[in-house]
Amino acid sequence: MKLSEHFTLEEATFSRTAQRLGIKNEPAPHELETMKKVAIGMERVRAALDNYPISVSSWYRGHALNLAVGGKEHSQHRIGEAVDFNCFKFGSPKDVCERLVQYADLIRFDQLILEPSWVHISFAIVSKPQPRKQVLTITPNGKTHTGLVDYT
C-alpha cells in the first residue's frame, strides 16, 4: 500500500527485530492516517534532498516492537510520527541535516536529530499542537546537544 508517491506502508512498518521476534508491527487505522500525513512531510524531505531516494530504517513501531528495541515510552515512532532514515546519494547524515535545516519552513518538522549514523525526523501531527522545530545532535557517546554539532 502506498502512503505517498515514494513511501509505502511496507517500508514504514518493516523491522528486522520484529521479524526475528515474531512481532506484528501493524498500525491501527488512526495511526495509518497519521503515517499518510507524515509521508507528505517525507515527500518534502525528499524534494529538499534533490529528490534522491530515502532509505527508511525505522518509522512506525508498535508497542511491542518499541519495547523490544529499547525505544522511549512516548516515542513519536509509536504513533507513526517519526522516521529514522538515510539519503546515501545526498551525503552523510550531517549533510542531510544541514540541508533540511535550510528547508525547515517548507518541511515543518517537529524534531530533526542528527544521530551518529542516521537522521531522525518527526512531525507534529497528533502528539504536539505546534511543531517545536528542534534541531539536536546525539553524539556517539549518547550526549544530546542543541543544534548540529560536529563530533567527527
Side-chain angles (χ1 to χ4, degrees):
M1 166 190 214
K2 282 191 158 219
L3 297 173
S4 67
E5 182 180 357
H6 296 102
F7 298 97
T8 66
L9 179 61
E10 291 73 26
E11 74 181 313
T13 58
F14 178 78
S15 166
R16 285 189 181 97
T17 301
Q19 277 186 335
R20 189 178 75 250
L21 299 176
I23 296 171
K24 278 190 163 184
N25 193 42
E26 298 174 357
H30 66 280
E31 293 164 335
L32 180 57
E33 290 308 308
T34 297
M35 294 168 71
K36 288 177 182 178
K37 292 174 183 171
V38 168
I40 293 167
M42 290 303 294
E43 291 291 348
R44 291 186 196 119
V45 167
R46 184 179 161 122
L49 300 173
D50 298 337
N51 212 32
Y52 286 127
I54 287 175
S55 175
V56 173
S57 55
S58 181
W59 189 328
Y60 174 77
R61 295 194 306 237
H63 179 70
L65 178 58
N66 196 57
L67 282 174
V69 300
K72 294 181 180 177
E73 183 179 342
H74 298 289
S75 168
Q76 287 176 287
H77 286 283
R78 285 270 298 109
I79 56 175
E81 284 187 338
V83 181
D84 295 340
F85 72 95
N86 277 292
C87 184
F88 299 108
K89 286 192 174 185
F90 187 83
S92 71
K94 186 163 190 222
D95 295 334
V96 168
C97 285
E98 287 172 344
R99 173 62 72 92
L100 297 182
V101 166
Q102 293 173 359
Y103 285 85
D105 289 339
L106 169 72
I107 298 169
R108 298 189 302 269
F109 57 79
D110 183 48
Q111 285 187 316
L112 178 67
I113 305 174
L114 172 60
E115 302 266 2
S117 58
W118 70 85
V119 175
H120 169 99
I121 193 166
S122 66
F123 300 87
I125 306 295
V126 176
S127 64
K128 311 275 185 267
Q130 292 279 10
R132 294 175 284 182
K133 299 180 183 175
Q134 287 184 327
V135 178
L136 305 167
T137 298
I138 297 178
T139 59
N141 64 5
K143 293 192 180 203
T144 302
H145 301 272
T146 301
L148 298 178
V149 176
D150 189 5
Y151 54 82
T152 55

